[in-house]
Amino acid sequence: MKLNFFTDTKPVVITLLLCTIHCSSSKHLERESASRNMADDYSEAKVSPSASPAALPKSEVKLQENKSQRRMMVYTVVVNLQSKEIEPKVTEIIKLAESFGGYALQYSSQGTIQLKIPQENLKTFLQTLKKESHNYSEDVSAKDVTEDYLDTEIRLENAQKMRTRLLEILKSAKTLEETLKVEAELSKISESIERWEGKLKYLSSAIQLSTVTVHVRQKWEPVVQKDYKPGPLGYPFFYLYLGLGKVKDGLIWLFVQEIPKEN
């Protein structure tokens, strides 16, 4: 029996052709699906600048909050002024500072006063002092301690968390050696906490209360000579004094005229 190759193999060829078409279409669909997924991922990865803080990591949210905080400034002012009397002026300046919620750290009878003035009242205090003083001048300097303050807060928070962990470990310590090691670490971390707390307290006080140093100097006034007015019995002597002065001026003039002039 003689077989026809093209007739007998036709079903097999058709089957292979259909499989090839199906596979190629499946791969094409997979490529399109992957492309769409990549586009969706790319569009989701693009975060709008106005995205809500909830969509951002906690560290970035905290950083944005810290940047938006008010700057923490420490102000130092040096004032120079003059007064007829030093001690009364020193007392007057101290009372003025107290009326603005401040106080005097130290002062001397020579006219140097160191004051602490609340930062919110500093500008008004200086304006009032200027109006009530002579030859007033001031030098204001400011120091930004925002980063130092925030850094100290973070260090204190981390130290407190570490102390909490060590206390939990101390409860579960089974041997004396473990207990002593944990207690030694607790002592160190407690010292760090006290140090950071002290620094925060110092920075807070420096921010809230500005330092003002006032130097009061004696005001110099020229001496005005008063005209002499003789009494009733003193007029003869007064006019005699004036007459002798005129005679003296006349003699000097005659002496000058008699000096021979060189030709």
Side-chain angles (χ1 to χ4, degrees):
M1 183 175 179
K2 191 176 181 179
L3 295 175
N4 190 343
F5 177 78
F6 293 101
T7 304
D8 295 338
T9 58
K10 185 176 180 180
V12 177
V13 173
I14 293 173
T15 304
L16 292 174
L17 182 61
L18 291 174
C19 291
T20 304
I21 295 171
H22 178 72
C23 292
S24 62
S25 61
S26 299
K27 291 181 179 179
H28 180 68
L29 290 174
E30 289 177 358
R31 285 196 297 267
E32 289 183 351
S33 178
S35 300
R36 285 195 298 269
N37 292 335
M38 289 175 64
D40 293 339
D41 294 340
Y42 177 74
S43 61
E44 290 177 359
K46 291 175 67 178
V47 180
S48 174
S50 59
S52 61
L56 298 175
K58 292 183 179 180
S59 59
E60 294 185 7
V61 173
K62 188 172 183 180
L63 182 61
Q64 290 182 359
E65 290 177 353
N66 291 339
K67 288 184 178 179
S68 63
Q69 286 182 350
R70 181 176 61 88
R71 306 305 295 179
M72 301 177 184
M73 309 297 292
V74 176
Y75 290 96
T76 303
V77 185
V78 178
V79 175
N80 291 280
L81 55 88
Q82 290 184 343
S83 177
K84 294 180 180 179
E85 298 180 355
I86 294 180
E87 291 188 8
K89 188 64 177 179
V90 169
T91 304
E92 177 186 340
I93 292 173
I94 294 174
K95 290 182 179 179
L96 179 64
E98 292 174 349
S99 67
F100 282 92
Y103 57 91
L105 283 178
Q106 61 180 12
Y107 60 92
S108 67
S109 58
Q110 296 179 353
T112 301
I113 320 163
Q114 190 172 8
L115 306 168
K116 286 291 186 180
I117 306 296
Q119 189 182 113
E120 62 272 13
N121 298 333
L122 178 62
K123 185 176 180 180
T124 309
F125 168 78
L126 294 176
Q127 290 175 348
T128 306
L129 182 61
K130 183 177 182 179
K131 292 178 181 178
E132 299 177 358
S133 304
H134 300 283
N135 298 327
Y136 177 94
S137 66
E138 66 182 36
D139 183 12
V140 183
S141 60
K143 181 181 179 182
D144 190 347
V145 296
T146 307
E147 294 183 2
D148 193 13
Y149 190 93
L150 295 178
D151 180 68
T152 305
E153 275 190 333
I154 294 172
R155 291 175 182 270
L156 176 60
E157 183 181 353
N158 292 336
Q160 290 172 342
K161 290 179 180 178
M162 179 61 69
R163 183 173 61 180
T164 302
R165 294 194 199 101
L166 289 174
L167 288 173
E168 293 175 357
I169 294 173
L170 183 62
K171 293 178 182 179
S172 59
K174 297 179 180 179
T175 63
L176 179 60
E177 183 179 0
E178 292 178 354
T179 302
L180 293 176
K181 287 183 178 180
V182 175
E183 287 180 348
E185 293 298 326
L186 273 173
S187 178
K188 293 179 182 178
I189 204 68
S190 297
E191 291 178 0
S192 298
I193 290 174
E194 291 177 359
R195 183 168 63 253
W196 301 133
E197 286 178 344
K199 187 174 181 179
L200 277 181
K201 185 177 180 180
Y202 167 78
L203 290 175
S204 299
S205 176
I207 293 168
Q208 295 173 3
L209 294 173
S210 302
T211 303
V212 180
T213 303
V214 183
H215 300 289
V216 183
R217 299 290 182 262
Q218 187 76 38
K219 184 180 179 182
W220 180 82
E221 293 183 352
V223 179
V224 180
Q225 294 182 353
K226 297 181 179 179
D227 295 336
Y228 174 73
K229 293 182 179 180
L233 299 177
Y235 271 105
F237 299 99
F238 176 67
Y239 287 118
L240 178 62
Y241 170 77
L242 294 178
L244 292 174
K246 296 293 184 181
V247 172
K248 179 191 68 174
D249 294 340
L251 292 174
I252 293 173
W253 183 80
L254 288 174
F255 178 77
V256 172
Q257 292 293 325
E258 291 298 327
I259 297 176
K261 297 180 180 179
E262 296 181 358
N263 294 327

